Each structure stands twice: as structure tokens, then as C-alpha cells.
């Protein structure tokens, strides 16, 4: 199976299935000299893990991460970072009815059609459980960026569930309010309405879709290359890889189809340093596929979870019969609340990869002191202690 790696210099390779022994990720290209602890990664994983509230799956996974390579004495060494999260609460028996009778709108049939086999427990590799690896990698990228000389901040929040949409919020409001409620909506009043909608569908044995707004501030200008390696193209790849993603947009997004050129175009002026600065940011921080230095913002849409207890129809290719099934198990009634840390992780990973490619951050070592060996983070000889 291909398609398990993301990034050019900050390369993230993942493995694992939903009900397999463990989930794992290897990161190649993380610079040396970055302070990194298990707690740094665990903090982000705890935001994604199941069982956080009544609107998430009750699967009891602690998602405890182990860093088994790439660090020494609390610092990265520049070698590949390996991290593992054991699966502790897999119950594959509930998935036996769907081994040869694919669940509607899942990856069951397409995986079997492509490979001639599949790990069917919990959806196997197609399960969103695999994003635990992405969040772990994003946590590493976040530490690299936060410890660099650049003041870059990333944040996301749930801006719509069903037909309940939050009004625009500021970046500061996202930082302050997103983690205050189970929906992870930075507008408290809307969060309450979203909860009501989610609980309604949950009671009816159904699910509902939604969207996540994201923003990155402090990203320097000049990141990205035209065409296939543009910042927007690779950010789109990252966001559309998120399980259940059906749409990605930045800046005006779909609304741009309604704007004239004269209305959308943004004039240039000089900033306080005498540098050209666009008047406005309808472009979402990206022009010509390259960052402008303005905030990068956008939205990604997630469809309703496909595992629902309502009765549905399928076919069993082994017996040749049509049958009615009812998916049972532990599933989320809505995806965006747990998707927020996933979106943030992929945004951090994308930004860092471009920062390394452009040379803004030295790809070998965070301090950039090429040739300097006597560093504060170099191990001391036991004989000299």
C-alpha cells in the first residue's frame, strides 16, 4: 500500500489499523536540538482521543504515546523519531457481519476491491483512528515551530454543525474559547445550539456533518512554489486526506465565484517597514500559491459519520444475498469536535515542511550553528560527571 507518507523534508510515515496491535508514526527530517517530551505529544493526543464526552465514541483508548527513537536527554537528535500508541480496547467481533457485506459509504468494498483483502476489524486502515499518528506528528512540528525564532500560531474551531453556523470569531476568541466546550466551537452560544442538534441526531440513531475553520498567524511570506508544490495545493492535500473530508477552501473559498475581479483584487500599500502589503486578506494569506505573510485561513468540511445504528441495506458477495444490516458498536455521532486537533496538526506539519524547504529553519539543527559541536543539548560524557 502506498500513500502512507506526507511531507518533503518533514516526512511523516504512519502505520497501523484500528483494531491492530498498535498505531505508529515515524518522522524523518525533524531538526536536532528541539526540546521534546512525551508530555508535549500526549497533551495533543488527549484532545483527539475517544471518550472525551457524550458526543464522542465510548471506545476506551488511553492513547498513551511512547517515543522510542530520535531523542536523547529530552532533545531531538536529528535522527528519525519513532512513536507508538498501543490499541487497548478493540472489539472486532461486532464487525464480523461486514467482512463480505460492506457497510454503506465506508471504505470496506473499495479496500477489498483494490487489494483483494483487508483488515476488517474497526475498518482497519481506513478508520479515522489512524489520525492519532497525525496528531502525534503535528505535536512534534508544533514544538519545532514554537522553539524557532518565528512567532507562528495555529488554531482551529468548529464553525458549523448541520445547519447551525457560528458567526465569525477572532483568532483571540478561538484561543480563549475553543477548548471550553465539548463541541470545540469558539462561540459559546452557538456551541450550545450545536450540542442540541448533535444530541437530537444521536437520539434518532443518526449522525450529522459539519465544518472546521482554521487559521495560522505569523507565517512568513515566500513559502510555497508555483503549481503542484504550491502552499495551497499541499495544504489542500493535507486537509483532504483527513477521513470524511469532502471540501477544502481558503480565503474567500467558494464565495469567490460571486465576486468580480475589481471587488476581489486587493491594492498594495507599504507597511511600517516599507515593505509591500496587500490591503485586506481576501486571498487567505496565499497568492500565486505562495504565502504573503498575512494570516492563512480557511475551512474544511466533514461529512456525517457513516457508522450509524439505523437499518441500511447491503449485499453479501460471498452468499449472493441482499440483506438488511444495523451497524452496532462505538461511534462518533459527529466528527468535527475531535477533528480540530487533527486539522491543527496537519497545518503545523505543512507549515514546518515549507519552513524547512525554504531554509527559514535549518533542516539539520534548530540552532542553525553548522559545525558547532559543543552545544547545550549535546550529551555529556559519563566519565566527566
Amino acid at each position: 500500500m502506498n500513500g502512507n507518507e506526507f511531507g518533503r523534508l518533514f516526512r511523516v510515515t504512519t502505520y497501523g489499523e484500528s483494531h491492530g496491535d498498535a498505531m505508529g508514526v515515524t518522522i524523518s527530517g525533524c531538526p536536532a536540538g528541539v526540546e521534546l517530551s512525551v508530555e508535549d505529544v500526549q497533551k495533543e493526543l488527549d484532545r483527539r482521543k475517544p471518550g472525551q464526552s457524550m458526543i464522542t465514541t465510548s471506545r476506551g483508548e488511553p492513547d498513551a504515546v511512547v517515543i522510542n527513537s530520535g531523542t536523547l536527554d529530552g532533545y531531538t537528535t536529528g535522527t528519525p523519531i519513532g512513536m507508538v500508541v498501543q490499541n487497548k480496547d478493540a472489539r472486532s467481533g461486532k464487525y464480523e457481519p461486514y467482512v463480505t457485506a460492506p457497510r454503506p459509504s465506508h471504505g470496506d468494498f473499495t479496500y477489498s476491491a483494490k487489494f483483494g483483502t483487508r483488515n476488517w476489524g474497526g475498518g482497519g486502515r481506513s478508520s479515522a483512528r489512524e489520525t492519532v499518528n497525525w496528531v502525534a506528528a503535528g505535536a512534534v512540528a508544533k514544538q519545532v515551530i514554537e522553539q524557532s525564532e518565528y512567532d507562528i500560531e495555529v488554531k482551529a474551531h468548529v464553525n458549523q454543525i448541520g445547519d447551525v453556523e457560528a458567526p465569525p470569531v477572532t483568532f483571540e476568541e478561538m484561543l480563549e474559547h475553543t477548548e471550553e466546550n465539548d463541541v470545540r466551537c469558539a462561540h459559546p452560544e452557538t456551541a450550545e445550539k450545536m450540542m442540541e442538534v448533535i444530541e437530537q441526531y444521536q437520539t434518532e440513531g443518526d449522525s450529522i456533518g459539519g465544518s472546521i475553520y482554521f487559521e495560522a498567524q505569523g507565517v512568513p511570506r515566500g513559502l510555497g512554489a508555483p503549481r503542484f508544490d504550491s502552499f495551497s495545493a499541499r495544504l489542500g492535500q493535507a486537509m483532504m486526506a483527513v477521513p470524511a473530508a469532502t471540501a477544502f477552501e481558503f480565503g474567500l473559498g467558494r464565495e469567490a465565484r460571486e465576486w468580480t475581479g475589481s471587488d476581489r483584487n486587493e491594492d498594495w500599500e507599504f507597511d511600517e517597514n516599507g515593505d509591500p502589503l496587500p490591503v485586506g486578506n481576501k486571498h487567505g494569506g496565499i497568492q500565486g500559491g505562495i504565502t504573503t505573510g498575512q494570516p492563512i485561513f480557511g475551512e474544511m468540511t466533514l461529512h456525517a459519520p457513516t457508522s450509524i445504528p439505523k437499518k441500511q441495506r447491503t449485499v453479501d458477495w460471498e452468499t449472493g444475498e441482499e440483506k438488511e444490516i444495523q451497524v452496532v458498536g462505538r461511534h462518533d455521532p459527529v466528527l468535527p469536535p475531535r477533528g480540530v486537533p487533527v486539522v491543527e496538526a496537519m497545518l503545523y506539519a505543512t507549515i514546518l515542511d515549507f519552513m524547512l524547504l525554504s531554509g527559514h529553519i535549518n533542516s539539520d539543527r534548530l540552532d542553525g550553528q553548522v559545525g558547532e559541536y559543543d552545544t547545550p543539548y549535546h550529551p555529556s560524557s559519563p566519565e566527566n560527571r
Side-chain angles (χ1 to χ4, degrees):
M1 175 189 282
N2 296 316
N4 301 301
E5 185 174 86
F6 176 78
R8 294 273 301 282
L9 286 184
F10 186 78
R11 298 190 305 280
V12 177
T13 306
T14 71
Y15 68 88
E17 293 86 25
S18 179
H19 287 192
D21 183 60
M23 312 304 295
V25 58
T26 301
I27 300 170
S28 299
C30 179
V34 180
E35 288 190 70
L36 182 67
S37 67
V38 167
E39 290 74 23
D40 294 326
V41 181
Q42 193 64 55
K43 178 182 177 181
E44 301 303 321
L45 292 181
D46 287 346
R47 299 172 59 220
R48 194 222 69 98
K49 73 179 181 180
Q52 299 177 44
S53 68
M54 294 301 293
I55 60 170
T56 65
T57 171
S58 60
R59 180 171 173 174
E61 293 289 353
D63 282 354
V65 67
V66 174
I67 302 176
N68 49 28
S69 69
T71 63
L72 182 67
D73 298 334
Y75 289 90
T76 59
T77 60
T79 59
I81 298 172
M83 293 184 282
V84 175
V85 172
Q86 297 292 325
N87 291 325
K88 298 290 187 179
D89 191 28
R91 303 176 191 176
S92 297
K94 295 183 182 294
Y95 293 84
E96 290 179 357
Y98 321 123
V99 176
T100 57
R103 295 166 296 169
S105 293
H106 286 71
D108 296 351
F109 177 71
T110 51
Y111 268 60
S112 291
K114 180 174 179 63
F115 301 107
T117 184
R118 78 175 193 279
N119 186 320
W120 47 267
R125 183 72 176 163
S126 67
S127 170
R129 170 132 186 84
E130 205 270 319
T131 60
V132 68
N133 295 321
W134 307 11
V135 175
V140 175
K142 181 179 181 180
Q143 289 303 309
V144 178
I145 289 173
E146 286 188 346
Q147 293 176 44
S148 74
E149 62 181 284
Y150 298 93
D151 185 18
I152 298 173
E153 285 189 287
V154 166
K155 194 56 190 167
H157 88 118
V158 176
N159 67 329
Q160 186 166 348
I161 296 292
D163 59 2
V164 178
E165 185 175 5
V169 296
T170 65
F171 191 77
E172 290 69 27
E173 286 174 321
M174 284 198 292
L175 292 174
E176 183 178 355
H177 298 301
T178 298
E179 304 300 323
E180 290 181 344
N181 56 74
D182 293 338
V183 189
R184 288 205 169 94
C185 174
H187 190 262
E189 293 80 8
T190 305
E192 294 179 7
K193 296 176 183 178
M194 289 177 172
M195 279 294 295
E196 293 174 2
V197 169
I198 295 169
E199 290 170 357
Q200 173 192 337
Y201 283 103
Q202 202 170 21
T203 301
E204 296 173 356
D206 213 334
S207 59
I208 188 64
S211 60
I212 297 171
Y213 172 87
F214 59 84
E215 188 170 331
Q217 296 203 351
V219 179
R221 59 178 180 261
L223 302 186
R227 307 298 177 247
F228 304 116
D229 218 16
S230 73
F231 193 96
S232 47
R234 289 238 265 117
L235 182 58
Q237 178 194 12
M239 295 301 171
M240 289 303 294
V242 176
T246 60
F248 156 77
E249 56 186 273
F250 69 94
L252 286 176
R254 291 172 297 171
E255 189 182 337
R257 75 186 82 175
E258 303 169 8
W259 289 62
T260 65
S262 58
D263 288 331
R264 181 185 177 276
N265 289 353
E266 294 165 327
D267 295 335
W268 291 92
E269 63 182 6
F270 288 110
D271 64 15
E272 62 274 12
N273 298 317
D275 293 326
L277 180 73
V279 181
N281 191 22
K282 301 184 190 76
H283 58 277
I286 306 168
Q287 291 185 352
I290 300 170
T291 58
T292 64
Q294 297 294 91
I296 296 169
F297 67 89
E299 180 183 287
M300 60 98 67
T301 300
L302 298 172
H303 64 63
T306 48
S307 292
I308 56 176
K310 280 192 172 184
K311 292 182 179 179
Q312 302 169 86
R313 294 195 63 77
T314 187
V315 295
D316 191 321
W317 70 72
E318 196 168 53
T319 64
E321 64 176 318
E322 295 184 3
K323 60 171 62 174
E324 190 176 72
I325 62 169
Q326 190 172 12
V327 177
V328 295
R330 302 160 295 172
H331 307 288
D332 295 88
V334 67
L335 299 174
R338 289 178 64 206
V340 166
V342 178
V343 167
E344 292 177 2
M346 295 309 287
L347 188 48
Y348 270 119
T350 303
I351 293 171
L352 177 58
D353 197 32
F354 277 112
M355 295 286 280
L356 295 171
L357 283 165
S358 65
H360 281 77
I361 296 177
N362 188 293
S363 59
D364 292 325
R365 48 196 296 173
L366 187 63
D367 61 18
Q369 299 181 43
V370 179
E372 179 59 49
Y373 54 88
D374 189 10
T375 65
Y377 53 89
H378 194 287
S380 178
S381 171
E383 294 186 357
N384 297 334
R385 294 176 186 170

